[in-house]
Amino acid sequence: MSVRIRRHTLRVAHSNSLGRLHPVTIVSARYGGVYEGGPWVAFARHPDKLPIEWNAGDVFASRYYEEHSDEIGVGMTPDAAYRNLLENIEGRGLPGR
């Protein structure tokens, strides 16, 4: 696994039994999990391609996380958010982006 810290963002590439998913960006949840569902959020995207809503004001962030909960991973740790992302993607039957 390779990890590079970029501000408050962790960019992680990793292979495991659920398949290869790259790039993945894991961030500390802006709202501490209130809207996100956990204190860490994983996206199957490059850090420069994150949707702006992930870090937006209350209304936009809450709507984004409600509408896209099956496209992200959340967890109590970065590893848990990553595992949740893999499970969500596998559950949807979609390859990583």
Side-chain angles (χ1 to χ4, degrees):
M1 174 164 72
S2 65
V3 177
R4 184 177 71 127
I5 296 176
R6 181 180 171 187
R7 295 186 199 155
H8 298 290
T9 302
L10 301 176
R11 185 170 156 214
V12 180
H14 184 62
S15 294
N16 70 19
S17 62
L18 292 175
R20 182 161 177 78
L21 185 60
H22 177 76
V24 170
T25 302
I26 301 172
V27 297
S28 173
R30 175 176 178 176
Y31 295 99
V34 172
Y35 302 129
E36 304 91 347
W40 291 95
V41 184
F43 298 88
R45 299 172 182 258
H46 187 276
D48 296 336
K49 302 291 182 188
L50 292 182
I52 60 170
E53 294 88 355
W54 87 267
N55 198 27
D58 289 284
V59 174
F60 293 108
S62 66
R63 186 178 317 142
Y64 174 79
Y65 287 110
E66 183 177 320
E67 293 174 358
H68 298 276
S69 62
D70 63 336
E71 300 172 15
I72 61 172
V74 295
M76 295 303 292
T77 65
D79 286 339
Y82 181 73
R83 284 192 304 273
N84 183 244
L85 174 66
L86 292 175
E87 292 165 359
N88 287 345
I89 288 173
E90 182 182 64
R92 290 172 46 215
L94 299 175
R97 293 182 194 184

Short mmCIF file of all heavy atoms in Angstrom, two decimals, residues 1 3-5 7 21 30 35 37 39 44-45 48 57 66 70 74 76 80 86 90-91 96:
data_model
loop_
_atom_site.label_atom_id
_atom_site.label_comp_id
_atom_site.label_asym_id
_atom_site.label_seq_id
_atom_site.Cartn_x
_atom_site.Cartn_y
_atom_site.Cartn_z
N MET A 1 0.85 -1.16 0.00
CA MET A 1 0.00 0.00 0.00
C MET A 1 0.90 1.23 0.00
O MET A 1 1.90 1.28 0.69
CB MET A 1 -0.88 -0.02 1.24
CG MET A 1 -1.70 1.22 1.38
SD MET A 1 -3.08 1.13 2.53
CE MET A 1 -2.28 1.11 4.09
N VAL A 3 0.93 5.42 0.57
CA VAL A 3 0.14 6.51 1.14
C VAL A 3 0.94 7.79 0.98
O VAL A 3 2.12 7.84 1.27
CB VAL A 3 -0.14 6.27 2.64
CG1 VAL A 3 -0.88 7.45 3.23
CG2 VAL A 3 -0.92 4.99 2.84
N ARG A 4 0.28 8.82 0.50
CA ARG A 4 0.91 10.12 0.38
C ARG A 4 0.00 11.14 1.03
O ARG A 4 -1.17 11.24 0.67
CB ARG A 4 1.11 10.47 -1.10
CG ARG A 4 1.85 11.77 -1.29
CD ARG A 4 2.08 12.01 -2.75
NE ARG A 4 0.83 12.34 -3.38
CZ ARG A 4 0.66 13.42 -4.13
NH1 ARG A 4 1.64 14.24 -4.35
NH2 ARG A 4 -0.50 13.66 -4.69
N ILE A 5 0.51 11.87 1.98
CA ILE A 5 -0.32 12.87 2.67
C ILE A 5 -0.30 14.15 1.87
O ILE A 5 0.74 14.65 1.49
CB ILE A 5 0.20 13.10 4.10
CG1 ILE A 5 0.06 11.81 4.90
CG2 ILE A 5 -0.57 14.25 4.76
CD1 ILE A 5 0.61 11.88 6.28
N ARG A 7 -2.15 17.73 2.31
CA ARG A 7 -2.98 18.53 3.23
C ARG A 7 -3.67 17.58 4.20
O ARG A 7 -3.02 16.87 4.91
CB ARG A 7 -3.97 19.40 2.46
CG ARG A 7 -3.30 20.44 1.62
CD ARG A 7 -4.30 21.37 1.01
NE ARG A 7 -3.69 22.04 -0.11
CZ ARG A 7 -4.35 22.53 -1.12
NH1 ARG A 7 -5.65 22.42 -1.15
NH2 ARG A 7 -3.74 23.13 -2.09
N LEU A 21 -8.45 -1.13 -6.75
CA LEU A 21 -9.17 0.13 -6.85
C LEU A 21 -8.15 1.25 -6.75
O LEU A 21 -7.46 1.39 -5.75
CB LEU A 21 -10.19 0.25 -5.72
CG LEU A 21 -11.11 1.45 -5.76
CD1 LEU A 21 -11.94 1.44 -7.05
CD2 LEU A 21 -12.04 1.42 -4.57
N ARG A 30 -15.56 16.52 7.00
CA ARG A 30 -15.68 17.91 7.43
C ARG A 30 -16.62 18.08 8.61
O ARG A 30 -16.39 18.87 9.51
CB ARG A 30 -16.16 18.77 6.26
CG ARG A 30 -16.40 20.20 6.68
CD ARG A 30 -16.79 21.09 5.55
NE ARG A 30 -17.05 22.42 6.07
CZ ARG A 30 -17.34 23.44 5.31
NH1 ARG A 30 -17.40 23.32 4.03
NH2 ARG A 30 -17.57 24.62 5.85
N TYR A 35 -23.11 14.16 8.57
CA TYR A 35 -23.75 13.94 7.27
C TYR A 35 -23.12 12.76 6.55
O TYR A 35 -23.78 12.05 5.80
CB TYR A 35 -23.62 15.18 6.37
CG TYR A 35 -24.22 16.41 6.98
CD1 TYR A 35 -23.48 17.58 7.04
CD2 TYR A 35 -25.50 16.42 7.50
CE1 TYR A 35 -24.02 18.73 7.60
CE2 TYR A 35 -26.04 17.55 8.06
CZ TYR A 35 -25.30 18.71 8.11
OH TYR A 35 -25.83 19.84 8.65
N GLY A 37 -21.60 9.97 7.74
CA GLY A 37 -21.84 8.63 8.27
C GLY A 37 -20.65 8.08 9.04
O GLY A 37 -20.73 7.00 9.62
N PRO A 39 -16.30 9.41 10.58
CA PRO A 39 -15.29 10.47 10.59
C PRO A 39 -14.29 10.43 9.44
O PRO A 39 -13.55 11.38 9.23
CB PRO A 39 -14.59 10.29 11.93
CG PRO A 39 -14.81 8.87 12.29
CD PRO A 39 -16.14 8.49 11.69
N ALA A 44 -13.61 6.91 -4.68
CA ALA A 44 -12.89 6.22 -5.75
C ALA A 44 -12.55 7.24 -6.84
O ALA A 44 -12.97 7.14 -7.99
CB ALA A 44 -13.74 5.09 -6.32
N ARG A 45 -11.77 8.23 -6.45
CA ARG A 45 -11.40 9.33 -7.34
C ARG A 45 -10.04 9.89 -6.95
O ARG A 45 -9.62 9.78 -5.81
CB ARG A 45 -12.40 10.49 -7.25
CG ARG A 45 -13.79 10.14 -7.64
CD ARG A 45 -14.72 11.31 -7.32
NE ARG A 45 -16.08 11.00 -7.64
CZ ARG A 45 -16.70 11.44 -8.72
NH1 ARG A 45 -16.07 12.21 -9.57
NH2 ARG A 45 -17.94 11.13 -8.94
N ASP A 48 -7.91 15.54 -7.04
CA ASP A 48 -8.30 16.70 -7.85
C ASP A 48 -9.67 16.54 -8.49
O ASP A 48 -10.20 17.49 -9.07
CB ASP A 48 -7.26 16.97 -8.94
CG ASP A 48 -5.91 17.35 -8.36
OD1 ASP A 48 -5.87 17.85 -7.21
OD2 ASP A 48 -4.89 17.15 -9.04
N GLY A 57 -21.04 23.60 2.17
CA GLY A 57 -21.85 23.98 3.32
C GLY A 57 -22.85 22.89 3.70
O GLY A 57 -23.04 21.92 2.97
N GLU A 66 -26.40 12.08 1.22
CA GLU A 66 -27.64 11.31 1.16
C GLU A 66 -27.82 10.67 -0.21
O GLU A 66 -28.18 9.50 -0.32
CB GLU A 66 -28.82 12.23 1.47
CG GLU A 66 -30.15 11.51 1.51
CD GLU A 66 -31.28 12.45 1.88
OE1 GLU A 66 -31.08 13.30 2.78
OE2 GLU A 66 -32.36 12.33 1.27
N ASP A 70 -23.97 5.28 -1.68
CA ASP A 70 -23.51 4.00 -2.22
C ASP A 70 -22.26 4.14 -3.09
O ASP A 70 -21.72 3.15 -3.56
CB ASP A 70 -24.63 3.32 -3.01
CG ASP A 70 -25.07 4.12 -4.22
OD1 ASP A 70 -24.88 5.36 -4.25
OD2 ASP A 70 -25.61 3.51 -5.16
N VAL A 74 -17.35 5.04 4.21
CA VAL A 74 -17.17 5.77 5.46
C VAL A 74 -16.75 4.81 6.55
O VAL A 74 -17.04 3.61 6.48
CB VAL A 74 -18.46 6.53 5.89
CG1 VAL A 74 -18.81 7.62 4.89
CG2 VAL A 74 -19.62 5.58 6.06
N MET A 76 -14.74 4.54 10.84
CA MET A 76 -14.12 5.15 12.02
C MET A 76 -12.63 5.40 11.83
O MET A 76 -12.04 6.18 12.56
CB MET A 76 -14.35 4.26 13.25
CG MET A 76 -15.82 4.15 13.64
SD MET A 76 -16.60 5.75 13.97
CE MET A 76 -15.75 6.23 15.47
N ALA A 80 -11.05 1.52 7.55
CA ALA A 80 -12.46 1.12 7.57
C ALA A 80 -13.23 1.82 6.45
O ALA A 80 -14.09 1.20 5.81
CB ALA A 80 -13.08 1.43 8.92
N LEU A 86 -14.84 -0.34 -0.91
CA LEU A 86 -14.73 -1.55 -1.72
C LEU A 86 -16.00 -2.38 -1.65
O LEU A 86 -16.47 -2.89 -2.67
CB LEU A 86 -13.53 -2.39 -1.26
CG LEU A 86 -12.15 -1.79 -1.50
CD1 LEU A 86 -11.08 -2.67 -0.88
CD2 LEU A 86 -11.89 -1.59 -2.98
N GLU A 90 -18.32 -3.19 -4.83
CA GLU A 90 -18.58 -4.59 -5.16
C GLU A 90 -20.07 -4.87 -5.12
O GLU A 90 -20.60 -5.57 -5.99
CB GLU A 90 -17.86 -5.51 -4.17
CG GLU A 90 -18.06 -6.96 -4.51
CD GLU A 90 -17.38 -7.86 -3.50
OE1 GLU A 90 -17.79 -7.85 -2.31
OE2 GLU A 90 -16.47 -8.59 -3.90
N GLY A 91 -20.79 -4.31 -4.16
CA GLY A 91 -22.23 -4.51 -4.03
C GLY A 91 -23.01 -3.94 -5.21
O GLY A 91 -24.06 -4.45 -5.56
N GLY A 96 -13.89 -0.19 -10.27
CA GLY A 96 -13.40 1.10 -9.77
C GLY A 96 -13.24 2.08 -10.89
O GLY A 96 -13.03 1.71 -12.04
#
